[in-house]
Amino acid sequence: MSEFRIHHDVNELLSLLRVHGGEGAEVYIELLQKNRTPYVTTNVSAHSAKVKIAEFSRTPEDFLKKYDELKSKNTRHLDSLVYLLSKLTEDKETLHYLQQNAKERAELAANAATSSSTNFSIPSSTSKMSLQELEELRKQLGSVTASSSAQQPLELTRKILRDKQNKKNSGQPIPVFPSWVYERPALIGDFLIGTSLSTDTTVPIGTLPLASQESMIVEDLLYVLIGVDGRYITAQALVGRQNRAFSLDPNLDLSIKELVTRILPVAASYSAVTRFIEEKSSFEYGQVNHALAAAMRTLIKEYMILITQLEHLQRQGLLSLQKLWFYIQPTMRTLEILASLATSVDKGECMGGSTLSLLHDKTFNYTGDSQAQELCLYLTKAASVPYFEILEKWIYRGIINDPYSEFMVEEHELQKEKIQEDYNDKYWDQRYTVVQQQIPSFLQKMADKILSTGKYLNVVRECGRDVTCPVAKEVIYTLKERAYVEQIEKAYNYASKVLLDFLMEEKELVAHLRSIKHYFLMDQGDFFVHFMDLTEEELKKPVDDIITTRLEALLELALRMSTANTDPFKDDLKIDLMPHDLITQLLRVLAIETKQEKAIISAEPTELTLSGLEAFSFDYIVKWPLSLIINRKALTRYQMLFRHMFYCKHVERQLCNVWISNKTAKQFSLHSAKWFAGAFTLRQRMLNFVQNIQYYMMFEVMEPTWHILEKNLKLASNIDDVLSHHTSFLDNCLKDCMLTNPELLKIFSKLMSVCVMFTNCMQRFTQSMKLDGEMERLTLEHGTMLGPPTEEERAEEAAKKKLTNKLLAEHADNLHLTSGFEATINKFDSNFSTHLLDLLDKLSVYSTNDCEHSMLNIIYRLDFNGFYTERLEHMSAERSQKAPPLLPRLAVPAQ
């Protein structure tokens, strides 16, 4: 069970039990994950648990009856549930709480029922009902009872199954028997109610001597044993799924009647088996049930041969009632077992794998009774033949031929092209899925390998290569499971190797992953320098004004001008302008399969116009079957990492541009350079932060994780391992780059925003100085010199330059004083320091509480000289003082 499933189940249980307060579900989830152990139910533990609950129950007969009913239907995990309930009976405190909770829930339900309006009028206890009203009420109750207990007509059942199968196999309708097969009840071989053996007048058996009575009853029994009513023994009409009952002439001698009642269960079993054979022989019930019915028919033929021999003896006057009882006894046990199996399959509505599970369990339950076990083994082998034929095609060739939906693997109509378009597309997970109720119990442990084996071969087949397992052998049912387990293991190993070699060698999976790493994880430095230089002006525009074809052309130019030109897959790289920023994209991804998904997806786009830098991302063309690994989900994660790092690179370039433009300020001798020095210091702190964050992400997160991925890919034995390692690589990168923690991401986004606003402010100030400076120069240096300058002209020019610089310095001071530039810089400094300290503090908390020690490296890099250590310790001390006292681990619900 996955961590998410445990979390969901615990929350559901807490909600049902109305448990509030305490530390929530996390405490219980942690306890479950620490203490859970694999549990295998044995017959001994299940039996002892059943006995314990029966002893504890106020109505043990009802409990045992319900248990037997569920067991006959082959209910999954029944014994595990019974074992859990038996453990609960030992916990008095839990039992008391559950009883109290049940009482409260019943009271709430009663109050809700009382407050709700109803259309029924209940007569008062004092009023009397007339005989007519009483009779009408009795009829209504009788009709309701009859309709609830009536069995669904077989024709309707067959039609429902036929429609379901025809829908699945469109274009290939399921064959059906002609209608006259069902319209002629005499063909069934079971009793025809309402008919008699002969039109002759029946002699009252009570008037006959004992010998004649015995002779007449023996003749009747030989008819009844093959499904035909006798003169003095007749079958009663069936009600629902009840066993066949018989009526005996009341005047029959008691000694004869006693012996007859011992023989009649054989006729009842024959009737049940015959009905089962005729019903399950229909195509609609599947190949497994059809094979089981055919095997039972073979056994019934042997039974009919015995009855024929007994009839021959009876005609010769050599068959007495005692001899009939003697000859029929060996068959009685066989028919009893067959009838029990038929009834269980009927009750459980079993088909395919569920039928085989029932047969297998019955076979094991008869351990110690060699004759019964041999019979069940014969039936299970016969019924498993069509199932194993489907299994062989699946594990040896990757083909499913299951027209009756009996196999454990179900195919769904999904388009593999969508794996490149839809983030939430689950082609690999949902194209073929396991149907739990169709897994035979003897293949339960191998279900995942059976699913994977066929999936692997199917992928190779869809690429145009026909594959057949060279170690293919016929799979035959046996009580020694190791025989077919070994065959499945061999087929699985072959399929794993074929697909893995196909992807790794022929389709060059690792080379494609390296190519994606070059561009999405930015490990091609010269390519990005060229690309950002070429596209800087274009990406500053609003996203609606950007011409995608121009960006594509610039991308092509950057690829050709850099070392990326040697990449054989560079043409698969494309430009993608996203409709929303990185934060929105993350929220949309995190909301998938949650209650907020619909609201976020249907939300209107942000009113703020995105710039090209905010919307820019790469995309990558991946063809089948590599799209199984590099699917839309994986590419979206790569895009989020790229957009995160690309924006950091953009902020770094902006800060460097501020440094370049501020170099011109050194030529001025300003009167108050203190505020300008503060701006330079802040810019350097911001640049140090951004560069260290980039270094951390690239060299302390992505590179080490990538090397682990490459090492794991070399050791992978199947495609599921490759998928798992690749997903783990991306998840670790996203987590360590703070993209999965909304709180950290929010602080980091604020820091980036402060840096961008600071660069814009400095660029505007520098631009203003340049414009005003040019105007002063034009005013003071107006005019041109004709010919080479004289000494007097040179002295005049130097005086003019000195005056110009003085005026520019005064202008800069005036600009500073009028615009409040020093206050602006101080505000930027304060905001940046606050957010940075907040980030470092949160990183320290998460790295300690969640054991995410890799994030400590950010603190060590940014606080390399202990500048922030003292302030962080002060914040930690304040937080510990404000922390509330610890609550108990388990909260007791309010009674």
Side-chain angles (χ1 to χ4, degrees), residues 36 66 77-78 151 433 605 626 756 762 813 863 867 875 877:
R36 63 175 176 168
K66 189 66 177 177
H77 308 303
L78 176 62
Q151 185 180 0
T433 57
L626 291 178
V756 171
M762 292 300 294
D813 283 346
D863 193 27
F867 180 75
M875 291 174 67

Side-chain angles (χ1 to χ4, degrees), residues 655-667:
L655 289 169
C656 290
N657 288 338
V658 169
W659 178 81
I660 292 172
S661 61
N662 287 162
K663 296 288 285 183
T664 57
K666 291 186 177 181
Q667 62 182 312

Side-chain angles (χ1 to χ4, degrees), residues 191-197 229 234-235 237:
F191 295 94
L192 297 178
I193 306 301
T195 64
S196 60
L197 177 65
D229 281 334
T234 56

Side-chain angles (χ1 to χ4, degrees), residues 62 71 102 112 342 607 797 799:
D62 293 341
K71 197 69 176 174
E607 294 181 0
E797 183 68 21

